[in-house]
Amino acid sequence: DAGVTQSPTHLIKTRGQHVTLRCSPISGHKSVSWYQQVLGQGPQFIFQYYEKEERGRGNFPDRFSARQFPNYSSELNVNALLLGDSALYLCASTRSGTTGGELFFGEGSRLTVL
Amino acid sequence: AQSVTQPDIHITVSEGASLELRCNYSYGATPYLFWYVQSPGQGLQLLLKYFSGDTLVQGIKGFEAEFKRSQSSFNLRKPSVHWSDAAEYFCAVISGTYKYIFGTGTRLKVLA
């Protein structure tokens, strides 16, 4: 079975631009979470979606938004990019939205903002 | 607020030596605790998790971890390290039902 897939794997943007990152969860998984991992840090929670509804949001500005589609894939959008948005963006899926579900991570999308 | 501390940024061990990676957490209730490993260019992979019950949990790749409530710790151990274990290791706790809080990670280097 395919794991969590993310695209693109690498991208370079300039300040002020917009970026869309995509994620396909493992088949049968209904929950998708997004994390930001800045170099030298652990992943920081951005969003979780379950059954196409936002269940939680981390401490990120409104420039960050996401959505989940009927097929459970997800997009993360970041507007008005800042240099500090340069990071590895990780998508993770879980089968359900219950507590303690194992997160299955994709390999991430590495964003560089110049 | 919940938090996870991994006091060792880097650890170097010789192949075949034992390993212990430290993790301390701050959480009011009984925590759900995890250890993940991240190899270069890879996503995170779950090594093991603790929810309740036996405080010594076994994971994949020969890793184990012990939950000590009195010390607020969940240290990861392996009796004999292999060169392929070189990676970054993250301890995490669940906050609420869905938000994982990760530590800053410990980068493990294995000497041949």
Side-chain angles (χ1 to χ4, degrees):
Chain A
D1 287 340
V4 176
T5 57
Q6 294 186 242
S7 63
T9 54
H10 295 82
L11 67 166
I12 300 174
K13 295 284 188 178
T14 57
R15 283 177 294 176
Q17 285 189 313
H18 163 90
V19 67
T20 297
L21 308 178
R22 296 177 176 82
C23 172
S24 293
I26 292 172
S27 177
H29 286 197
K30 299 180 178 180
S31 177
V32 169
S33 299
W34 286 95
Y35 285 79
Q36 181 196 63
Q37 186 178 18
V38 174
L39 195 62
Q41 300 292 319
Q44 298 287 319
F45 173 75
I46 310 176
F47 288 108
Q48 194 211 40
Y49 277 78
Y50 177 66
E51 289 280 14
K52 302 178 289 295
E53 292 191 1
E54 181 184 307
R55 298 191 69 190
R57 182 188 183 108
N59 187 25
F60 281 81
D62 291 343
R63 299 184 296 108
F64 288 76
S65 64
R67 54 179 175 168
Q68 187 177 32
F69 299 99
N71 66 353
Y72 302 111
S73 67
S74 178
E75 281 183 355
L76 175 69
N77 294 283
V78 186
N79 293 323
L81 286 168
L82 303 174
L83 295 179
D85 296 330
S86 296
L88 180 67
Y89 289 85
L90 294 164
C91 174
S93 71
T94 56
R95 184 171 298 277
S96 70
T98 56
T99 301
E102 176 184 348
L103 291 179
F104 292 83
F105 284 88
E107 296 186 358
S109 294
R110 184 164 297 282
L111 170 64
T112 301
V113 182
L114 302 177
Chain B
Q2 297 88 351
S3 66
V4 173
T5 302
Q6 294 181 247
D8 304 305
I9 298 175
H10 297 278
I11 282 187
T12 300
V13 299
S14 298
E15 191 171 18
S18 64
L19 172 69
E20 183 169 25
L21 302 182
R22 296 183 290 165
C23 172
N24 293 98
Y25 67 90
S26 171
Y27 191 76
T30 299
Y32 286 8
L33 293 160
F34 303 79
W35 275 100
Y36 279 84
V37 61
Q38 186 178 34
S39 298
Q42 304 287 317
L44 281 75
Q45 180 184 22
L46 179 68
L47 287 175
L48 47 79
K49 60 186 178 183
Y50 171 79
F51 289 173
S52 64
D54 192 348
T55 56
L56 185 64
V57 293
Q58 302 297 319
I60 62 171
K61 303 184 180 186
F63 285 93
E64 66 178 25
E66 186 171 13
F67 171 63
K68 293 185 177 180
R69 185 187 300 276
S70 62
Q71 298 177 20
S72 297
S73 69
F74 187 56
N75 293 349
L76 182 71
R77 301 193 295 247
K78 187 170 185 178
S80 178
V81 170
H82 188 263
W83 64 266
S84 61
D85 293 325
E88 189 149 24
Y89 293 79
F90 293 94
C91 181
V93 65
I94 287 183
S95 173
T97 60
Y98 51 78
K99 177 182 176 181
Y100 283 59
I101 298 174
F102 288 85
T104 52
T106 297
R107 184 170 296 278
L108 173 65
K109 182 177 179 179
V110 180
L111 301 177

